[in-house]
Amino acid sequence: MENSKCLEEIFKLLEVATSVPSNSERKFKNTEGPVDYLVEELEKSIAKTFLHSRFDEISEIGNVASTSKTTDGAAVLVKGDSRVQYSKLMTIIFSELSELIKGSASESNDESSIISMQQTLLLTKSLEFFIIMCLLPALDPDVGIPVEKRSSFIKYWKPFECELLRKSQLECTIQIFQSLSNANPTIRTHIIGRFLSDFIAANEQLLFIGCADHHQSYEQFLSNVPKALLFKELLSLLGMFTVRAQPKQAPAWFQKAISIRLSRLLLSEDSLSCLFVAFDDLGGASFWENSAALHNVAVLLSKKPSVSKAPAYYRQLLKQFLALLKIPTWSEKISKLFASVVELISKKASNDLHFQVIDKLASPWDICLERGKLNPFSIGYGFWNSYMDDSLWILKTWFKGLYRQSEIPCIERFEKFCPFLMHLCGQSSNVKDLEAFANDSALVIGTIVRGINSDRMGNTLLKMILTPETGNRLYSFFKVDVYKKPLIQEISKEENSRKYNLHLEIVNEPFSEIEMLDYKVYAVDLILKQFDREESSALLVDLLSACVYEWRSIESEQLQSVVDNEYQPFIVELGKERIDRERNHLSVQYVLSALTEQLIDLKMEFSNVSLLKLLEVAELMFSSMLRKLNHVLSMDLSIEADLEVDAKSSELALGIVSGVLLMAKDSTEIMDRLKLVSFRLQEFCRLMEKAAEKLPSAFRTTLENCQQLLALFSDLSLSAEDSKPILHPFEIPSPINKFDRKSLSNLSDLLKELESPDEPIRGHVLIEIGKELRKRNSKFFKSSVDFDLVYERILAQVQDPDTYVFLAAINALAELAYWKTDPFLEKMLDYFVKWHSSEEPQSLMVRTKIGEAVAKVCNRLGDFSPLYFDRLAPTFLLLVKESDEMIRASALSSLSDLILACRGRRYDRIVNELLLCISQVITTDKSPLVRRAAVHFLRCMLSSAHDVLFEVFMDSLRDINRQLRRLWEYDQDDVVRLQAELALIEIKEAIKTSLDKI
């Protein structure tokens, strides 16, 4: 018979061997099990083919049920096993198939065309059945992939008890696996990809029971398997990525055997990259964010294998890590793993870590500074070499993966070049093409500062800023520029792998001291941005405090020096210590001024701890200047040049106190500290007035500002109780000073103040009304007449041209509507929806703010909010079409609040209109602010409908998912991408929740 016809009959037999009827109870009513059925059908089919003559090779084996169970789930044990009969039949079929394929290969020029893809899939399916019947019962419990995960009709197998039968079945499986793999490359690829773990389990089980006949062929076979695939299967068998519903530990002997193979594989060249490819395949992208799993992997990698010596293993492991960290696609993934491995190895093999990692990352910076112009120079990058480039990139990647409490080994090595890196960072901070370099440098410096002493980060950072003269002088010769592309260049592999387009030049004329300080201040600004808001504000305050303590220390030394030298000769020897002190004094003063400006420009809320520390800083500055003024008066000293600087310091201290006064919340501790500061201010004013003749003219402005601040303290009842405030001779022309605060206890008197022509008074009255409404003070509002009156008076202030007034009015209106929903929420809705004012920008902005307030009220009303959706949504959608981006963004944000309150209700009728609006904004609007609001709105819709996601977005969920993925991958705005990613996560979580309910 021809090979093609024989192959056709073979594949028909394979189809019979894998055809299990779906309705098992009805089909198997007159037989004893599904395997019996397959054996019976297979025997009938073989008898009709060219294989009928080989029946004599199969010994008589009675067929019995192998999956029957009692009511309690235990398997029924009967004589014989039909699984053995099935495996014998399949062995004959597979043996013939491999021979036929080999014969066809010798006659054909294209081996891949011998069997079709459909036949290959059928062969894979039949091998799955064969492994279930032949191999799995021969394995120890919990070795390999369990049967319940491989078969829909078999949930339990009784293991083979006879050792000879187990050995026979294992050898049979191995032989079939190898014969089919050697028959055809296509078949080999499919078999290795699907059944490699079974082949490994069979061989390891055979070795464990004492049979080494197939050991040589086993080792040879594994040597030809791709490392990444081999890693994947070994890890699966070890249970790191278990396929069991309830993970069980494999036997100790099996774990040891697989662990030894993993260790040996890990010692080979380029093994780490293959291991990480396996992690990618098994765990997916989420694996690299799983801290627990990464820690377990780090523990395993940091353990020295028994088959290798410690130094050789650790050095090779770290060498491969550093090579992978240079590749951007890998560096982001493995940063956390690398950080964990370094931390663990530092405790076991610190010398190897120092040699292989620390030296390679720190030495390029040391060499650059030590050798200067003797370093290699290139036209494009100047003295910026690939070693420095790789060092900064790896440090950035490593530090990004560090956990907050992790320690950086040998951190003093990195601390040495931080001032130099800070100098380069500051220069590049305002260069567009060097943003990546500047930000990565700031991240590295910030992490090192935190690692040195997390409790005194400000002191550490100030120490780096106030670099000794010798170091600062050296750094001043280095100039940063953008990479200069030469006209003709031979691109080497080293040059092509650069991460930063930096050109480093050593100039003949160094930067001045002021320029050097400017660059470091710029670097500090970037460093602050590397931390979260709370830590950033705390670090800035800590740095200010460190500056003040340093300044105070220098001031004390200077003052003592002045006193000691008052009657000394005019010419004083200027030693090195004094020069450094003078230099540091001016530097600290300059840095303090710059940091105070940053503090003022920093738009963030400070914690009470930070505010108290700021007050401590101001108090230290005042007390230091008080001491100096006392010396000026008592010693009759004249130090006008120094006092010019002190006048500026006084202004800084006043600015800090004013800022705290604005940001201070209802904290008793802060108020008490402000009273103490008030006392310092009074003393400061008194001494300035006494020493007026000896003080420079700059102090006159300081004195006036100080007296105005004291007047404000008095107005706010913050003056020190044991001292009368020093007031300026003339009254401060502020409208607030005319305001009688006793009127706050009486509504009628309070409403009279709304007639004041001064905007600050009207705004303040509205704020106080809003506070009482929020408190729901029934003593303040005694009847419904009071509420009506308040509503009318507030409404009259809504369209006031002053922003302070109309925002306070809208806030008070919202508080009233929330407390007395009936009738004021309805009135507020009518006022917003039926807006008849002019279409000027100011009018539109007022309407938008009212809409925001209404939406927030609805959000707080919870389940009642859907009642108002139909009236509000169309108006918000109209505002989305306005030309002003702030109005469009505000309208979308208001819709977000309203949608969240609805929880998937009411808006499902216009969901397509809402999605169309979002789609148009995302694709056509050029404003990042509006697009952010649009994606946030979409995310709120998905979140609101979390439990009914499929009902609300049945026809559009796929399109939403595609649009979000496009934004996540391609949008240029980071916030838009983040919102898109969060929305995708929302979809994923909602789908998972829905599937769990099924």
Side-chain angles (χ1 to χ4, degrees):
M1 183 181 289
E2 295 181 1
N3 279 359
S4 59
K5 292 184 177 179
C6 291
L7 282 172
E8 187 177 348
E9 289 188 356
I10 289 289
F11 280 105
K12 286 183 179 179
L13 290 175
L14 293 180
E15 191 170 356
V16 172
T18 57
S19 300
V20 180
S22 57
N23 192 340
S24 56
E25 290 187 4
R26 183 172 56 82
K27 287 287 182 181
F28 302 144
K29 194 176 293 184
N30 298 323
T31 59
E32 298 181 67
V35 184
D36 294 330
Y37 174 82
L38 290 176
V39 170
E40 184 180 344
E41 293 297 316
L42 196 55
E43 286 178 345
K44 291 178 184 178
S45 301
I46 290 176
K48 300 175 184 178
T49 64
F50 72 98
L51 292 176
H52 65 87
S53 59
R54 297 194 59 180
F55 264 122
D56 296 337
E57 299 178 17
I58 307 174
S59 56
E60 289 291 324
I61 298 177
N63 300 337
V64 295
S66 53
T67 58
S68 303
K69 293 187 179 180
T70 60
T71 55
D72 61 353
V76 179
L77 306 181
V78 288
K79 296 180 180 180
D81 200 324
S82 55
R83 296 171 296 180
V84 179
Q85 180 73 2
Y86 181 89
S87 61
K88 290 287 186 182
L89 294 172
M90 294 301 291
T91 301
I92 294 175
I93 295 172
F94 286 137
S95 299
E96 284 294 327
L97 177 60
S98 60
E99 293 299 325
L100 287 170
I101 291 174
K102 288 179 182 178
S104 301
S106 61
E107 301 173 2
S108 173
N109 295 327
D110 185 9
E111 293 184 2
S112 62
S113 62
I114 295 174
I115 60 173
S116 65
M117 181 57 69
Q118 187 177 0
Q119 289 174 331
T120 304
L121 294 175
L122 180 59
L123 174 60
T124 304
K125 184 179 178 181
S126 59
L127 271 171
E128 187 73 66
F129 272 70
F130 176 73
I131 287 170
I132 291 171
M133 309 293 184
C134 183
L135 173 63
L136 295 188
L139 297 173
D140 281 359
D142 300 319
V143 173
I145 302 175
V147 65
E148 64 268 16
K149 290 292 181 180
R150 312 184 73 145
S151 172
S152 59
F153 66 94
I154 299 170
K155 299 302 177 187
Y156 173 81
W157 267 152
K158 178 182 180 297
F160 295 143
E161 297 179 352
C162 176
E163 288 297 317
L164 290 176
L165 178 59
R166 291 181 68 190
K167 179 185 174 183
S168 172
Q169 296 295 85
L170 290 169
E171 289 183 322
C172 178
T173 304
I174 293 169
Q175 289 170 358
I176 292 300
F177 190 96
Q178 290 186 325
S179 64
L180 286 173
S181 297
N182 296 331
N184 183 272
T186 304
I187 294 176
R188 178 186 176 86
T189 302
H190 280 80
I191 289 178
I192 290 176
R194 182 75 177 270
F195 305 108
L196 181 59
S197 59
D198 298 310
F199 178 72
I200 294 171
N203 277 279
E204 295 296 342
Q205 183 73 65
L206 202 59
L207 289 170
F208 179 69
I209 63 178
C211 178
D213 297 343
H214 301 273
H215 187 214
Q216 187 175 355
S217 60
Y218 174 44
E219 296 292 344
Q220 185 178 358
F221 187 90
L222 290 184
S223 65
N224 296 321
V225 174
K227 286 183 185 178
L229 179 60
L230 189 54
F231 266 122
K232 176 183 174 182
E233 300 303 330
L234 290 173
L235 290 169
S236 299
L237 288 169
L238 198 58
M240 290 189 67
F241 296 86
T242 181
V243 295
R244 302 172 187 273
Q246 296 179 343
K248 297 180 181 179
Q249 288 286 333
W253 68 266
F254 187 73
Q255 289 189 49
K256 183 179 179 181
I258 298 301
S259 298
I260 290 173
R261 291 209 168 272
L262 277 170
S263 299
R264 288 176 177 169
L265 192 59
L266 198 58
L267 292 172
S268 60
E269 288 292 328
D270 300 326
S271 57
L272 207 58
S273 61
C274 298
L275 176 64
F276 295 158
V277 170
F279 287 156
D280 260 346
D281 291 339
L282 289 167
S286 60
F287 171 79
W288 302 107
E289 299 299 325
N290 189 332
S291 300
L294 290 176
H295 178 72
N296 292 335
V297 172
V299 171
L300 290 173
L301 290 176
S302 62
K303 287 183 179 178
K304 179 191 73 67
S306 58
V307 295
S308 174
K309 295 182 179 180
Y313 170 72
Y314 288 130
R315 289 184 181 182
Q316 184 173 1
L317 177 70
L318 293 170
K319 180 182 177 182
Q320 292 187 54
F321 253 118
L322 291 182
L324 288 173
L325 286 169
K326 296 175 186 178
I327 305 171
T329 53
W330 277 118
S331 62
E332 291 294 325
K333 291 182 178 180
I334 65 176
S335 61
K336 291 182 180 178
L337 178 60
F338 177 70
S340 298
V341 168
V342 167
E343 186 177 7
L344 293 170
I345 292 179
S346 66
K347 301 173 183 177
K348 300 178 180 180
S350 58
N351 291 336
D352 296 324
L353 178 68
H354 197 283
F355 174 81
Q356 194 64 42
V357 176
I358 307 300
D359 277 350
K360 289 186 177 181
L361 296 180
S363 59
W365 306 93
D366 298 336
I367 293 171
C368 177
L369 291 172
E370 288 176 7
R371 291 176 58 84
K373 288 190 175 183
L374 297 177
N375 287 297
F377 180 86
S378 67
I379 298 174
Y381 295 99
F383 291 100
W384 180 258
N385 56 54
S386 61
Y387 300 106
M388 297 169 71
D389 196 89
D390 290 337
S391 171
L392 181 59
W393 178 265
I394 292 172
L395 283 171
K396 180 265 299 188
T397 306
W398 173 14
F399 292 166
K400 284 182 74 174
L402 279 174
Y403 295 104
R404 180 64 182 271
Q405 302 302 324
S406 299
E407 294 182 359
I408 302 174
C410 305
I411 195 170
E412 62 277 1
R413 285 291 306 276
F414 302 129
E415 184 185 3
K416 288 181 181 178
F417 63 80
C418 274
F420 176 51
L421 186 58
M422 185 180 287
H423 170 62
L424 303 182
C425 174
Q427 284 191 65
S428 58
S429 60
N430 295 320
V431 182
K432 183 179 180 181
D433 294 333
L434 296 179
E435 289 178 352
F437 171 81
N439 288 325
D440 290 352
S441 301
L443 173 65
V444 169
I445 297 167
T447 309
I448 292 171
V449 168
R450 178 197 283 161
I452 293 170
N453 191 339
S454 59
D455 295 328
R456 302 191 66 188
M457 291 171 61
N459 294 71
T460 306
L461 197 55
L462 181 62
K463 183 182 175 182
M464 293 179 181
I465 295 171
L466 302 178
T467 313
E469 170 65 13
T470 51
N472 220 38
R473 180 72 177 170
L474 175 61
Y475 307 151
S476 64
F477 287 93
F478 287 88
K479 182 182 178 182
V480 166
D481 204 348
V482 182
Y483 167 74
K484 299 176 181 179
K485 187 175 182 181
L487 296 175
I488 301 174
Q489 182 184 11
E490 183 180 348
I491 304 296
S492 63
K493 183 179 180 181
E494 176 184 308
E495 295 287 325
N496 200 33
S497 62
R498 296 289 183 93
K499 313 299 186 304
Y500 307 104
N501 294 325
L502 185 76
H503 178 91
L504 186 61
E505 186 179 358
I506 298 177
V507 296
N508 295 323
E509 292 293 328
F511 293 105
S512 66
E513 282 285 330
I514 295 297
E515 287 176 316
M516 295 290 291
L517 285 173
D518 279 336
Y519 292 144
K520 289 185 177 180
V521 170
Y522 298 156
V524 168
D525 186 37
L526 277 178
I527 291 167
L528 292 172
K529 292 177 181 176
Q530 306 306 315
F531 301 101
D532 58 52
R533 282 189 146 194
E534 185 177 352
E535 191 173 8
S536 177
S537 60
L539 175 56
L540 180 56
V541 173
D542 195 33
L543 183 55
L544 274 169
S545 178
C547 285
V548 171
Y549 274 105
E550 180 69 17
W551 173 67
R552 189 181 185 189
S553 174
I554 296 169
E555 285 275 296
S556 298
E557 292 176 9
Q558 282 185 327
L559 194 58
Q560 187 61 41
S561 176
V562 170
V563 173
D564 293 342
N565 293 310
E566 182 64 16
Y567 303 103
Q568 296 295 326
F570 290 103
I571 301 173
V572 180
E573 183 181 356
L574 297 177
K576 182 179 182 299
E577 182 179 348
R578 177 163 180 174
I579 293 172
D580 281 342
R581 188 178 63 216
E582 293 289 339
R583 173 180 166 272
N584 282 348
H585 179 234
L586 294 173
S587 298
V588 169
Q589 191 71 36
Y590 188 85
V591 172
L592 190 60
S593 176
L595 292 176
T596 307
E597 289 179 7
Q598 285 191 16
L599 182 70
I600 294 169
D601 294 336
L602 202 61
K603 296 179 180 178
M604 63 173 64
E605 291 187 0
F606 289 82
S607 64
N608 286 344
V609 175
S610 296
L611 292 176
L612 286 170
K613 200 160 189 178
L614 280 172
L615 288 177
E616 181 185 350
V617 167
E619 189 183 349
L620 280 170
M621 295 174 76
F622 284 128
S623 62
S624 180
M625 286 180 285
L626 282 170
R627 182 184 176 189
K628 195 165 189 177
L629 287 173
N630 274 318
H631 276 282
V632 171
L633 290 170
S634 61
M635 303 292 293
D636 194 26
L637 302 179
S638 179
I639 43 178
E640 184 168 339
D642 289 338
L643 288 174
E644 286 283 359
V645 177
D646 292 332
K648 296 179 181 178
S649 301
S650 305
E651 289 294 332
L652 294 179
L654 290 172
I656 290 173
V657 175
S658 302
V660 173
L661 201 58
L662 288 172
M663 293 183 284
K665 300 174 183 176
D666 297 332
S667 170
T668 306
E669 194 174 2
I670 293 177
M671 295 304 164
D672 292 342
R673 196 58 179 262
L674 281 169
K675 290 180 180 180
L676 183 59
V677 173
S678 173
F679 176 76
R680 296 288 185 192
L681 280 172
Q682 292 174 27
E683 286 294 308
F684 186 56
C685 286
R686 183 177 61 80
L687 288 178
M688 277 195 294
E689 288 177 342
K690 279 188 177 182
E693 295 179 359
K694 297 182 180 181
L695 296 178
S697 58
F699 263 94
R700 295 171 188 168
T701 306
T702 304
L703 179 60
E704 292 176 2
N705 293 335
C706 188
Q707 289 170 335
Q708 289 181 17
L709 187 59
L710 279 171
L712 182 60
F713 270 50
S714 175
D715 188 51
L716 296 174
S717 303
L718 290 173
S719 297
E721 294 176 359
D722 57 346
S723 179
K724 294 182 180 180
I726 308 297
L727 296 176
H728 199 273
F730 58 85
E731 186 70 18
I732 299 174
S734 173
I736 294 293
N737 293 330
K738 305 173 188 176
F739 186 67
D740 183 9
R741 295 182 179 275
K742 294 180 180 179
S743 63
L744 293 178
S745 60
N746 189 297
L747 179 61
S748 59
D749 292 336
L750 193 64
L751 291 176
K752 286 180 182 178
E753 294 294 338
L754 281 178
E755 299 174 3
S756 171
D758 298 317
E759 289 86 354
I761 290 179
R762 296 204 308 276
H764 189 77
V765 168
L766 290 166
I767 289 172
E768 292 299 326
I769 291 174
K771 287 181 180 178
E772 298 301 327
L773 287 168
R774 182 176 299 178
K775 294 176 186 177
R776 302 197 173 188
N777 191 344
S778 56
K779 294 180 180 179
F780 204 83
F781 304 94
K782 298 177 181 178
S783 66
S784 59
V785 177
D786 287 345
F787 290 111
D788 292 334
L789 182 61
V790 165
Y791 177 76
E792 291 175 3
R793 300 298 298 274
I794 293 175
L795 208 60
Q797 302 294 326
V798 164
Q799 294 201 53
D800 192 283
D802 186 84
T803 308
Y804 179 58
V805 175
F806 85 72
L807 288 178
I810 291 171
N811 181 71
L813 201 62
E815 293 292 347
L816 177 61
Y818 181 59
W819 183 12
K820 297 295 181 180
T821 308
D822 183 18
F824 297 108
L825 181 57
E826 285 291 334
K827 290 183 177 181
M828 196 172 177
L829 284 171
D830 288 338
Y831 189 70
F832 170 65
V833 175
K834 301 174 182 178
W835 188 265
H836 295 300
S837 185
S838 63
E839 294 300 319
E840 295 178 358
Q842 172 70 16
S843 176
L844 282 172
M845 183 57 71
V846 172
R847 186 184 191 188
T848 303
K849 293 299 178 183
I850 291 176
E852 286 182 15
V854 170
K856 291 187 184 301
V857 170
C858 290
N859 196 338
R860 293 175 67 180
L861 286 175
D863 292 335
F864 291 97
S865 56
L867 298 174
Y868 310 103
F869 181 82
D870 290 342
R871 296 176 62 189
L872 289 172
T875 308
F876 283 132
L877 289 173
L878 283 173
L879 289 174
V880 174
K881 298 179 181 180
E882 293 296 333
S883 58
D884 190 284
E885 67 172 304
M886 295 297 294
I887 292 175
R888 299 200 303 275
S890 175
L892 289 166
S893 299
S894 300
L895 275 170
S896 302
D897 287 332
L898 190 59
I899 288 291
L900 279 175
C902 289
R903 299 180 185 177
R905 296 165 293 177
R906 203 70 177 176
Y907 68 85
D908 54 341
R909 293 177 295 179
I910 61 166
V911 67
N912 291 327
E913 287 83 352
L914 295 175
L915 292 175
L916 178 62
C917 172
I918 293 170
S919 178
Q920 289 177 344
V921 170
I922 290 173
T923 53
T924 62
D925 204 305
K926 296 180 180 180
S927 170
L929 183 67
V930 179
R931 288 190 289 111
R932 291 173 188 175
V935 182
H936 176 65
F937 177 33
L938 178 57
R939 183 186 165 207
C940 289
M941 289 178 66
L942 295 169
S943 177
S944 175
H946 184 88
D947 297 328
V948 288
L949 186 70
F950 291 104
E951 289 86 340
V952 177
F953 301 99
M954 184 181 300
D955 301 324
S956 50
L957 191 58
R958 184 182 63 178
D959 295 333
I960 292 172
N961 189 72
R962 287 177 177 174
Q963 192 168 39
L964 287 171
R965 286 194 172 276
R966 182 184 63 79
L967 288 172
W968 179 42
E969 293 177 4
Y970 302 112
D971 199 277
Q972 296 181 355
D973 187 81
D974 293 340
V975 178
V976 171
R977 290 200 302 272
L978 174 63
Q979 292 287 355
E981 185 179 4
L982 293 172
L984 287 169
I985 294 172
E986 186 68 43
I987 293 175
K988 183 179 178 181
E989 292 296 323
I991 292 174
K992 183 180 178 182
T993 303
S994 300
L995 291 176
D996 290 343
K997 292 179 180 180
I998 298 176

